[in-house]
Amino acid sequence: MSAPESGLIDVLGKTFPFPKRHFLSVLDLNPVEVSDLLDLADGFVALNRQTSKKLDLLKGRTLMNLFFENSTRTQSSFELAGKRLGADVVNMSPRASSISKGETLIDTAVTLNAMQPDLLVVRHASSGAASLLSQKVSCSVINAGDGQHEHPTQALLDALSMRRAFGRIAGLRVAICGDVLHSRVARSNVGLLQMMGAEVRLVGPPTLMPAEADRWGSEVYHDLRKGIEGCDVVMMLRLQLERMDGVLAPSQREYFRFFGLDREKLACAAPHVRVMHPGPMNRGVEIDSEVADDLAVSLIQDQVEMGVAARMAVLAALSARLDND
Amino acid sequence: MAPRPLALLNARLVDPASGWDGPGALLVKNGKIAEVAFGGDLGSLSDDIETLDTRGAMLSPGLVDLRVKTGEPGAEPKETLKSAALAAAAGGVTSIVVQPDTSPAVDDPSVVDFILRRARDIELVHVYPAGAATKGLAGERMAEIGLMRDAGCVYVTDADRPIVNSKVLRRLLAYAKSFGVLVAHRPADPWLAAGAAATEGELAGRMGLPSVPPIAEKIMLERDLALVELTGGRLLVDQITTACALESLERGKARGLDVTATTSINHLSFNEVDIGDYRTFCKVDPPLRGEDDRQAVIDALASGLIDIVVSAHAPAPAEDKRLPYDEAAPGAVGLQTLLPALLAFHHEGRIPLIDLMRTVTSRPAELLGLPAGRLAKGAPADLVLCDLNAPMIVDLADLKSKSKNSPFDGRRLQGVVRMTLVDGRVVHRAN
């Protein structure tokens, strides 16, 4: 692979500019960059299906996974993505170590920064944490989920799954359903899908809908059947069980009855509808197993596969900038 | 040795108590205002008098700030009474009322006494303690209001914490009234406000921040006003910041209730958009509101519905601010920026200078029965001399507070404090 020029990525025979240092929010991207990242990720999907999956694009680079919140799925996805591009990967879970001794997020970041990582993947329970970190460290920061704010690589992998299933994103009608209020996945998806020309709807009980969500450029529905009517994609969100039992919804069974996706409700969507879920799923709460496991409609397993490819694309794109630093 | 008498000449005297805004001169002698010449000069002056040509600068009573937090006692690295007093002097604030939420809390006459003694030793600006309304600020049992009054506290409050139990607030209002003590209370429904870091709305929703709807302020204020009506008590509404609560305030005042309201300079100067990219220096309590609310608050200040502006000075060191937004400490230092930030409304032509100055001088002084806040013969010589038109850029390095958490950092303001006098002593002089 030839050395990239200033701000250009040259991966898998494609060249395009990606001048960003960090990957914090989908709102930092433009449609051309998203398309390029998706093209790149498509190439990585093919690579990942080969017996020999390894590139040396990030050879000598160190990727640090810094997960203040546990997430086996996202963490291993980033770990695999890093390793397949040839980076050395270190996993840190500060929750178990220094953070409980009163060290602040910044202290931890500065300490880790001194170890000279090139890429820092951060998951934190507070909105804005990744952005804060990016101001204090000298490496690239990738937001792997900050509180209730954003989870941009999830939106990218969701877009990749949709584009591969439908051949396009523009014009798709997508319903994002469930606990929108607490969902960073929803926020990133709304931003990215709207940017790419999809029609996005938000569906959920009023207690799980952010204030003035109707001003996000999406129609808001409080009735699942009406909300998914004619939709190409139904994306279910995870509902934390502790938010039920009378706190934000009266009970699990009532929630499932009105907002859980089962075959009968799914019949309201378009005939070719595909179902998505960022995982991990609460079966029998927001989604019925019959729907989740039906490979004819469910993209849920694809999403996991696309996750590795999409994250490889992000790491590869950011590495172009690294080479110029 | 008493300082030499000082004659301040060619000033623009602004005295809200008498309604005078015009040229004049003033003589300070033995810590008091010995003579005020509204519209004229002092006549012939004897040789022992020092004179200062103010060249048309504004000379007004020093500011009286009803809501200041320090870290003393208990959190001195954050702010001491001395560092707060230095900031006050540099900002033209000559009287400060310190909040009781210290460690230990000011819920006992001995702590009132401690603060007054420390302030006397520092000898910069006047420091008046506010006492806790309830023991340990827990909102359950009344503090010793009478004894604290006798020790020198000027009003009682549980500071940032609303008193949830209506029976407790009812008794407080009734009991404090018989001692002539004012009760200050923060209007915020504690359940709606629990855990909130921002004001509910499109922006907080997009940023994924826990938020409180503006109506939480109105809900609590309506209860408070009803209790004032029931008890005939005196209430100081601690920082009104929303249009919906202003409606309630207006009705309460129209019914003749003994209610006075403050707002903070932060809520007059910033809106929720300023928290932008999770800017924790703009995290205050109550949180910054939408622009509609800010405009309503400015209008209410102009109409006199809001009586008093406070700095809501709340020091928080960098380590408490450089955290993710929802974990960061709320609060902003404000003693040094209060006056120039307030003057913005004069420069915009939105509120007459004398009305603005009333909200930070005579009105708060009258409310607490302080001798300061007016340019009158025999009054204490607590004065601020301010070059109204001089530009400044707020620089954190210039702040005297031990904590530098100012949301005004880098802001361009107009109005530089040239000199501050307390009891005739010069406590601040600009270079």
Side-chain angles (χ1 to χ4, degrees), chain A residues 3 14 18 24 36 61 88 90 129 131 143 167 173 175 180 182-183 186 195 260 275 299 315 319 324:
Chain A
K14 297 190 185 70
F18 193 81
L24 301 175
D36 286 347
R61 298 289 182 193
D88 296 315
V90 185
S131 161
N143 183 3
R173 190 174 285 172
V180 177
H182 299 99
S183 178
M195 186 196 309
V275 174
L299 286 177
L315 297 179
S319 77
N324 293 312

PDB file of all heavy atoms in Angstrom, chain A residues 3 14 18 24 36 61 88 90 129 131 143 167 173 175 180 182-183 186 195 260 275 299 315 319 324:
ATOM      1  N   ALA A   3       2.140   5.172   0.443  1.00  0.00           N
ATOM      2  CA  ALA A   3       1.945   6.155   1.504  1.00  0.00           C
ATOM      3  C   ALA A   3       0.911   7.178   1.067  1.00  0.00           C
ATOM      4  O   ALA A   3       0.979   7.686  -0.051  1.00  0.00           O
ATOM      5  CB  ALA A   3       3.271   6.858   1.797  1.00  0.00           C
ATOM      6  N   LYS A  14      -8.958   2.525  -3.150  1.00  0.00           N
ATOM      7  CA  LYS A  14      -9.772   3.746  -3.253  1.00  0.00           C
ATOM      8  C   LYS A  14      -9.045   4.887  -2.547  1.00  0.00           C
ATOM      9  O   LYS A  14      -8.419   4.693  -1.521  1.00  0.00           O
ATOM     10  CB  LYS A  14     -11.137   3.555  -2.584  1.00  0.00           C
ATOM     11  CG  LYS A  14     -11.999   2.487  -3.226  1.00  0.00           C
ATOM     12  CD  LYS A  14     -13.407   2.562  -2.650  1.00  0.00           C
ATOM     13  CE  LYS A  14     -14.276   1.444  -3.165  1.00  0.00           C
ATOM     14  NZ  LYS A  14     -13.900   0.116  -2.629  1.00  0.00           N
ATOM     15  N   PHE A  18     -10.042  12.570   3.909  1.00  0.00           N
ATOM     16  CA  PHE A  18     -10.735  12.523   5.202  1.00  0.00           C
ATOM     17  C   PHE A  18      -9.894  13.295   6.203  1.00  0.00           C
ATOM     18  O   PHE A  18      -9.019  12.749   6.851  1.00  0.00           O
ATOM     19  CB  PHE A  18     -10.923  11.077   5.662  1.00  0.00           C
ATOM     20  CG  PHE A  18     -11.882  10.953   6.816  1.00  0.00           C
ATOM     21  CD1 PHE A  18     -13.255  10.959   6.602  1.00  0.00           C
ATOM     22  CD2 PHE A  18     -11.418  10.871   8.124  1.00  0.00           C
ATOM     23  CE1 PHE A  18     -14.137  10.865   7.668  1.00  0.00           C
ATOM     24  CE2 PHE A  18     -12.304  10.783   9.192  1.00  0.00           C
ATOM     25  CZ  PHE A  18     -13.659  10.768   8.956  1.00  0.00           C
ATOM     26  N   LEU A  24     -16.293  11.895  16.595  1.00  0.00           N
ATOM     27  CA  LEU A  24     -17.045  12.132  17.825  1.00  0.00           C
ATOM     28  C   LEU A  24     -18.546  12.152  17.622  1.00  0.00           C
ATOM     29  O   LEU A  24     -19.307  11.759  18.495  1.00  0.00           O
ATOM     30  CB  LEU A  24     -16.618  13.480  18.439  1.00  0.00           C
ATOM     31  CG  LEU A  24     -15.143  13.607  18.798  1.00  0.00           C
ATOM     32  CD1 LEU A  24     -14.838  15.024  19.268  1.00  0.00           C
ATOM     33  CD2 LEU A  24     -14.764  12.602  19.873  1.00  0.00           C
ATOM     34  N   ASP A  36     -18.184   7.700   1.388  1.00  0.00           N
ATOM     35  CA  ASP A  36     -16.830   7.159   1.261  1.00  0.00           C
ATOM     36  C   ASP A  36     -16.557   6.124   2.348  1.00  0.00           C
ATOM     37  O   ASP A  36     -15.986   5.065   2.086  1.00  0.00           O
ATOM     38  CB  ASP A  36     -15.800   8.284   1.352  1.00  0.00           C
ATOM     39  CG  ASP A  36     -15.777   9.133   0.077  1.00  0.00           C
ATOM     40  OD1 ASP A  36     -16.365   8.683  -0.920  1.00  0.00           O
ATOM     41  OD2 ASP A  36     -15.170  10.219   0.094  1.00  0.00           O
ATOM     42  N   ARG A  61       0.866   1.007  15.062  1.00  0.00           N
ATOM     43  CA  ARG A  61      -0.030   1.915  15.785  1.00  0.00           C
ATOM     44  C   ARG A  61      -0.614   1.218  17.012  1.00  0.00           C
ATOM     45  O   ARG A  61      -0.785   0.002  17.015  1.00  0.00           O
ATOM     46  CB  ARG A  61      -1.190   2.339  14.878  1.00  0.00           C
ATOM     47  CG  ARG A  61      -0.745   3.100  13.649  1.00  0.00           C
ATOM     48  CD  ARG A  61      -0.272   4.463  14.039  1.00  0.00           C
ATOM     49  NE  ARG A  61       0.114   5.242  12.867  1.00  0.00           N
ATOM     50  CZ  ARG A  61       0.792   6.377  12.958  1.00  0.00           C
ATOM     51  NH1 ARG A  61       1.159   6.843  14.135  1.00  0.00           N
ATOM     52  NH2 ARG A  61       1.112   7.049  11.878  1.00  0.00           N
ATOM     53  N   ASP A  88      -1.749  -2.603  17.402  1.00  0.00           N
ATOM     54  CA  ASP A  88      -1.692  -3.242  18.719  1.00  0.00           C
ATOM     55  C   ASP A  88      -2.858  -2.711  19.525  1.00  0.00           C
ATOM     56  O   ASP A  88      -3.090  -1.501  19.568  1.00  0.00           O
ATOM     57  CB  ASP A  88      -0.382  -2.898  19.421  1.00  0.00           C
ATOM     58  CG  ASP A  88       0.808  -3.459  18.652  1.00  0.00           C
ATOM     59  OD1 ASP A  88       0.738  -4.631  18.243  1.00  0.00           O
ATOM     60  OD2 ASP A  88       1.778  -2.702  18.425  1.00  0.00           O
ATOM     61  N   VAL A  90      -5.011  -2.414  23.141  1.00  0.00           N
ATOM     62  CA  VAL A  90      -4.999  -2.561  24.592  1.00  0.00           C
ATOM     63  C   VAL A  90      -6.397  -2.236  25.112  1.00  0.00           C
ATOM     64  O   VAL A  90      -6.986  -1.237  24.702  1.00  0.00           O
ATOM     65  CB  VAL A  90      -4.003  -1.575  25.250  1.00  0.00           C
ATOM     66  CG1 VAL A  90      -3.921  -1.826  26.740  1.00  0.00           C
ATOM     67  CG2 VAL A  90      -2.643  -1.687  24.606  1.00  0.00           C
ATOM     68  N   ALA A 129     -18.570  13.308  27.080  1.00  0.00           N
ATOM     69  CA  ALA A 129     -17.302  12.854  27.654  1.00  0.00           C
ATOM     70  C   ALA A 129     -16.236  12.669  26.577  1.00  0.00           C
ATOM     71  O   ALA A 129     -15.073  13.032  26.775  1.00  0.00           O
ATOM     72  CB  ALA A 129     -17.509  11.559  28.437  1.00  0.00           C
ATOM     73  N   SER A 131     -15.982  14.154  23.687  1.00  0.00           N
ATOM     74  CA  SER A 131     -15.573  15.467  23.212  1.00  0.00           C
ATOM     75  C   SER A 131     -14.610  16.129  24.200  1.00  0.00           C
ATOM     76  O   SER A 131     -13.593  16.716  23.822  1.00  0.00           O
ATOM     77  CB  SER A 131     -16.820  16.323  23.003  1.00  0.00           C
ATOM     78  OG  SER A 131     -16.499  17.674  22.964  1.00  0.00           O
ATOM     79  N   ASN A 143     -15.509   8.172  19.486  1.00  0.00           N
ATOM     80  CA  ASN A 143     -16.607   8.075  20.437  1.00  0.00           C
ATOM     81  C   ASN A 143     -17.315   6.724  20.258  1.00  0.00           C
ATOM     82  O   ASN A 143     -17.947   6.483  19.238  1.00  0.00           O
ATOM     83  CB  ASN A 143     -17.576   9.239  20.185  1.00  0.00           C
ATOM     84  CG  ASN A 143     -18.726   9.269  21.164  1.00  0.00           C
ATOM     85  OD1 ASN A 143     -18.789   8.446  22.074  1.00  0.00           O
ATOM     86  ND2 ASN A 143     -19.630  10.220  20.981  1.00  0.00           N
ATOM     87  N   GLY A 167     -29.663  -1.389  -1.144  1.00  0.00           N
ATOM     88  CA  GLY A 167     -28.924  -0.775  -2.241  1.00  0.00           C
ATOM     89  C   GLY A 167     -28.851   0.741  -2.179  1.00  0.00           C
ATOM     90  O   GLY A 167     -28.251   1.381  -3.031  1.00  0.00           O
ATOM     91  N   ARG A 173     -37.688   4.677   4.334  1.00  0.00           N
ATOM     92  CA  ARG A 173     -38.512   5.150   5.450  1.00  0.00           C
ATOM     93  C   ARG A 173     -38.146   4.300   6.673  1.00  0.00           C
ATOM     94  O   ARG A 173     -38.357   3.088   6.673  1.00  0.00           O
ATOM     95  CB  ARG A 173     -39.984   4.994   5.091  1.00  0.00           C
ATOM     96  CG  ARG A 173     -40.916   5.656   6.053  1.00  0.00           C
ATOM     97  CD  ARG A 173     -42.338   5.573   5.549  1.00  0.00           C
ATOM     98  NE  ARG A 173     -42.591   6.505   4.451  1.00  0.00           N
ATOM     99  CZ  ARG A 173     -43.717   6.512   3.740  1.00  0.00           C
ATOM    100  NH1 ARG A 173     -44.674   5.635   3.999  1.00  0.00           N
ATOM    101  NH2 ARG A 173     -43.906   7.386   2.779  1.00  0.00           N
ATOM    102  N   ALA A 175     -38.268   3.674  10.851  1.00  0.00           N
ATOM    103  CA  ALA A 175     -38.883   3.984  12.144  1.00  0.00           C
ATOM    104  C   ALA A 175     -37.931   3.552  13.249  1.00  0.00           C
ATOM    105  O   ALA A 175     -37.500   2.405  13.291  1.00  0.00           O
ATOM    106  CB  ALA A 175     -40.212   3.250  12.280  1.00  0.00           C
ATOM    107  N   VAL A 180     -36.340   6.351  22.978  1.00  0.00           N
ATOM    108  CA  VAL A 180     -35.559   7.358  22.255  1.00  0.00           C
ATOM    109  C   VAL A 180     -34.893   8.315  23.244  1.00  0.00           C
ATOM    110  O   VAL A 180     -33.756   8.747  23.061  1.00  0.00           O
ATOM    111  CB  VAL A 180     -36.467   8.148  21.278  1.00  0.00           C
ATOM    112  CG1 VAL A 180     -35.681   9.239  20.571  1.00  0.00           C
ATOM    113  CG2 VAL A 180     -37.104   7.198  20.269  1.00  0.00           C
ATOM    114  N   HIS A 182     -33.411   8.017  26.140  1.00  0.00           N
ATOM    115  CA  HIS A 182     -32.105   7.673  26.701  1.00  0.00           C
ATOM    116  C   HIS A 182     -31.141   7.119  25.660  1.00  0.00           C
ATOM    117  O   HIS A 182     -30.073   6.628  26.014  1.00  0.00           O
ATOM    118  CB  HIS A 182     -32.277   6.644  27.815  1.00  0.00           C
ATOM    119  CG  HIS A 182     -33.118   7.131  28.953  1.00  0.00           C
ATOM    120  ND1 HIS A 182     -34.446   6.812  29.083  1.00  0.00           N
ATOM    121  CD2 HIS A 182     -32.829   7.943  29.989  1.00  0.00           C
ATOM    122  CE1 HIS A 182     -34.929   7.397  30.165  1.00  0.00           C
ATOM    123  NE2 HIS A 182     -33.980   8.089  30.731  1.00  0.00           N
ATOM    124  N   SER A 183     -31.515   7.182  24.380  1.00  0.00           N
ATOM    125  CA  SER A 183     -30.753   6.443  23.378  1.00  0.00           C
ATOM    126  C   SER A 183     -29.786   7.294  22.579  1.00  0.00           C
ATOM    127  O   SER A 183     -30.182   8.161  21.801  1.00  0.00           O
ATOM    128  CB  SER A 183     -31.707   5.745  22.414  1.00  0.00           C
ATOM    129  OG  SER A 183     -30.965   5.078  21.426  1.00  0.00           O
ATOM    130  N   ALA A 186     -30.222   6.283  18.871  1.00  0.00           N
ATOM    131  CA  ALA A 186     -31.261   7.020  18.147  1.00  0.00           C
ATOM    132  C   ALA A 186     -30.743   8.364  17.669  1.00  0.00           C
ATOM    133  O   ALA A 186     -30.947   8.751  16.514  1.00  0.00           O
ATOM    134  CB  ALA A 186     -32.483   7.210  19.044  1.00  0.00           C
ATOM    135  N   MET A 195     -29.208  12.987   7.061  1.00  0.00           N
ATOM    136  CA  MET A 195     -28.177  13.561   6.192  1.00  0.00           C
ATOM    137  C   MET A 195     -28.113  12.798   4.872  1.00  0.00           C
ATOM    138  O   MET A 195     -27.882  13.374   3.803  1.00  0.00           O
ATOM    139  CB  MET A 195     -26.828  13.479   6.906  1.00  0.00           C
ATOM    140  CG  MET A 195     -25.686  14.165   6.204  1.00  0.00           C
ATOM    141  SD  MET A 195     -24.090  13.619   6.858  1.00  0.00           S
ATOM    142  CE  MET A 195     -24.297  13.845   8.600  1.00  0.00           C
ATOM    143  N   GLY A 260     -43.802  -3.475  22.036  1.00  0.00           N
ATOM    144  CA  GLY A 260     -42.936  -4.583  21.644  1.00  0.00           C
ATOM    145  C   GLY A 260     -43.246  -4.976  20.199  1.00  0.00           C
ATOM    146  O   GLY A 260     -44.405  -4.977  19.773  1.00  0.00           O
ATOM    147  N   VAL A 275     -35.849  -5.629   9.963  1.00  0.00           N
ATOM    148  CA  VAL A 275     -35.850  -5.239  11.377  1.00  0.00           C
ATOM    149  C   VAL A 275     -34.421  -5.150  11.894  1.00  0.00           C
ATOM    150  O   VAL A 275     -33.599  -6.020  11.595  1.00  0.00           O
ATOM    151  CB  VAL A 275     -36.654  -6.261  12.211  1.00  0.00           C
ATOM    152  CG1 VAL A 275     -36.539  -5.958  13.697  1.00  0.00           C
ATOM    153  CG2 VAL A 275     -38.110  -6.255  11.775  1.00  0.00           C
ATOM    154  N   LEU A 299     -32.132  -8.024  10.377  1.00  0.00           N
ATOM    155  CA  LEU A 299     -30.761  -7.666   9.980  1.00  0.00           C
ATOM    156  C   LEU A 299     -29.836  -7.673  11.195  1.00  0.00           C
ATOM    157  O   LEU A 299     -28.708  -7.190  11.128  1.00  0.00           O
ATOM    158  CB  LEU A 299     -30.750  -6.268   9.348  1.00  0.00           C
ATOM    159  CG  LEU A 299     -31.311  -6.104   7.942  1.00  0.00           C
ATOM    160  CD1 LEU A 299     -31.261  -4.631   7.538  1.00  0.00           C
ATOM    161  CD2 LEU A 299     -30.496  -6.930   6.957  1.00  0.00           C
ATOM    162  N   LEU A 315     -11.295   3.590  11.550  1.00  0.00           N
ATOM    163  CA  LEU A 315      -9.887   3.558  11.963  1.00  0.00           C
ATOM    164  C   LEU A 315      -8.973   3.828  10.769  1.00  0.00           C
ATOM    165  O   LEU A 315      -8.001   4.580  10.875  1.00  0.00           O
ATOM    166  CB  LEU A 315      -9.543   2.192  12.575  1.00  0.00           C
ATOM    167  CG  LEU A 315     -10.286   1.811  13.861  1.00  0.00           C
ATOM    168  CD1 LEU A 315      -9.853   0.421  14.331  1.00  0.00           C
ATOM    169  CD2 LEU A 315     -10.067   2.833  14.953  1.00  0.00           C
ATOM    170  N   SER A 319      -6.480   6.998  10.235  1.00  0.00           N
ATOM    171  CA  SER A 319      -5.049   6.715  10.162  1.00  0.00           C
ATOM    172  C   SER A 319      -4.372   7.561   9.092  1.00  0.00           C
ATOM    173  O   SER A 319      -3.191   7.863   9.187  1.00  0.00           O
ATOM    174  CB  SER A 319      -4.808   5.231   9.878  1.00  0.00           C
ATOM    175  OG  SER A 319      -5.039   4.965   8.510  1.00  0.00           O
ATOM    176  N   ASN A 324       0.104  11.876   8.702  1.00  0.00           N
ATOM    177  CA  ASN A 324       0.569  13.217   8.351  1.00  0.00           C
ATOM    178  C   ASN A 324       0.972  14.043   9.562  1.00  0.00           C
ATOM    179  O   ASN A 324       1.472  15.131   9.426  1.00  0.00           O
ATOM    180  CB  ASN A 324      -0.527  13.947   7.582  1.00  0.00           C
ATOM    181  CG  ASN A 324      -0.777  13.307   6.242  1.00  0.00           C
ATOM    182  OD1 ASN A 324       0.159  13.043   5.508  1.00  0.00           O
ATOM    183  ND2 ASN A 324      -2.018  13.011   5.946  1.00  0.00           N
TER     184      ASN A 324
END
